[in-house]
Amino acid sequence: MQNLLPFLQSGWMRRSATRFVKEHPLLRYVRLIQPETRLWGREPGTLPSFLVIGAQRSGSTFLHDYLALNTSARPSPLQKEVHYFDNKFYKSLRWYAKFFESLEGEEAKAKNFESSPGYLYHPAVPKRVKRCLPDVKAVAVLRDPVERSISQYKWIRQCGLETRGPVEAFRDDAQRIDQETNGRSLRRFDDPLHFDFRHFHHGYLRRSLYHVQLRRWLRHFPAAQLRIVSSSTLFERPGEVVSELATFLDISDDGTSRRDAINQNTSSSEINVPAEAREIAYTHLADVESKVRAVVSPDMVVGDTLHLGQRSTR
């Protein structure tokens, strides 16, 4: 019994139980009464002034940690990814505010922020954010769409959420790619309790359709509230990127460029992705960069230019 209690209280056990309830179609309504013990006794804090919205496996964790270490931006002390606007919107805004500290009496440049990479991808998130945080600013980190898809596949395999080989997984997702612009399909996501396991975890190619996702955000927010940075620029010149973002976000940058304690979430190199799987991804994602350029205005891009590193189409 003494060994059982620490196991039941462990982060792994808590995450596993939460995942089971969240992802089981017959148990999703249990989420309405699932207790959040971490929030017991916490008062609501100051809501975020900006969000790092993704893309997944593109450098959002690096940016989150870099901002937390080198600027006056304050992340949630409880967790990096709250996932309120994509997976927990059935909770109240007061519940969400409890994840943040109160900034009352703090310096004006102190700003709370959150990073959840699903916010760029989830179809209903932009309008939810607009309803709750109309003045919020958002930052998206974009990576070569094919390399991002491959990295996601490896990561999901590592997490035990994928058992198929990459060719089968990519082919299956390619058959669903049109759902990202299908109004009838997208309306399902308006239900806060709706959770599509394959969409969330197995959308390898779909998560790389940045132009589709950015159009959704721009339907609800002006370009002046959005910024885009390529992951290559972020990793090569993080100090310059954060300095430019600091001006946009109205936060102070101490200029120290500390990189200790930054988690880059590398995926396993032991998982092989053959050329056939890569070709499937190239076939469906070859023109993403050019389409993104057609969607965003130059003043939305952080750094010299938007370069996602895609190879030339044949």
Side-chain angles (χ1 to χ4, degrees), residues 74-314:
R74 311 279 182 83
S76 165
L78 298 183
Q79 67 185 73
K80 166 183 169 268
E81 300 178 16
V82 181
H83 285 291
Y84 174 63
F85 292 104
D86 54 2
N87 290 337
K88 299 179 182 176
F89 200 63
Y90 53 89
K91 301 281 192 178
S92 69
L93 193 60
R94 177 181 173 83
W95 176 90
Y96 181 53
K98 288 184 178 183
F99 280 86
F100 304 95
E101 300 289 354
S102 173
L103 296 182
E104 185 176 351
E106 295 277 355
E107 59 171 310
K109 294 283 186 177
K111 300 288 195 319
N112 282 337
F113 78 104
E114 186 214 343
S115 302
S116 286
Y119 289 173
L120 179 64
Y121 177 51
H122 192 287
V125 164
K127 57 187 172 185
R128 292 174 179 175
V129 174
K130 182 65 174 180
R131 186 194 318 167
C132 299
L133 304 173
D135 298 320
V136 79
K137 294 178 179 179
V139 180
V141 184
L142 306 183
R143 180 182 182 181
D144 178 307
V146 172
E147 295 305 320
R148 194 222 62 79
S149 299
I150 292 170
S151 179
Q152 180 194 343
Y153 171 80
K154 291 182 176 182
W155 180 255
I156 295 300
R157 278 287 299 269
Q158 282 180 249
C159 293
L161 295 170
E162 176 64 272
T163 58
R164 299 170 299 175
V167 173
E168 180 185 355
F170 281 17
R171 279 178 177 165
D172 180 68
D173 192 41
Q175 292 176 352
R176 305 173 194 279
I177 207 164
D178 290 341
Q179 293 180 2
E180 293 306 297
T181 53
N182 184 307
R184 182 177 180 181
S185 176
L186 297 179
R187 279 194 291 274
R188 299 173 298 153
F189 293 93
D190 290 337
D191 177 3
L193 284 169
H194 174 74
F195 184 82
D196 185 329
F197 180 92
R198 285 191 293 191
H199 184 271
F200 190 79
H201 291 303
H202 295 168
Y204 306 113
L205 309 184
R206 287 177 284 175
R207 277 187 183 266
S208 289
L209 299 177
Y210 309 137
H211 55 293
V212 174
Q213 298 152 17
L214 290 168
R215 281 197 195 100
R216 291 179 192 143
W217 275 87
L218 288 168
R219 289 191 195 107
H220 297 276
F221 289 91
Q225 287 178 239
L226 300 176
R227 287 295 182 272
I228 313 299
V229 59
S230 63
S231 60
S232 58
T233 302
L234 173 63
F235 289 127
E236 290 168 7
R237 306 195 304 274
E240 294 178 28
V241 168
V242 168
S243 178
E244 188 173 340
L245 284 176
T247 301
F248 167 64
L249 300 170
D250 193 27
I251 55 178
S252 59
D253 173 16
D254 62 20
T256 57
S257 299
R258 289 178 296 161
R259 300 176 69 158
D260 53 300
I262 290 182
N263 181 4
Q264 297 194 38
N265 282 341
T266 56
S267 54
S268 174
S269 59
E270 297 177 359
I271 299 174
N272 180 52
V273 177
E276 185 179 357
R278 289 178 176 271
E279 284 303 317
I280 294 170
Y282 281 126
T283 297
H284 293 277
L285 302 174
D287 56 354
V288 167
E289 182 171 338
S290 61
K291 288 182 176 179
V292 169
R293 292 178 185 277
V295 171
V296 305
S297 56
D299 57 342
M300 291 173 60
V301 178
V302 177
D304 300 332
T305 185
L306 181 67
H307 178 61
L308 302 183
Q310 286 196 274
R311 72 180 186 182
S312 299
T313 57
R314 292 171 297 183

Side-chain angles (χ1 to χ4, degrees), residues 66-77:
Y66 201 98
L67 287 167
L69 280 171
N70 297 291
T71 75
S72 59
R74 311 279 182 83
S76 165

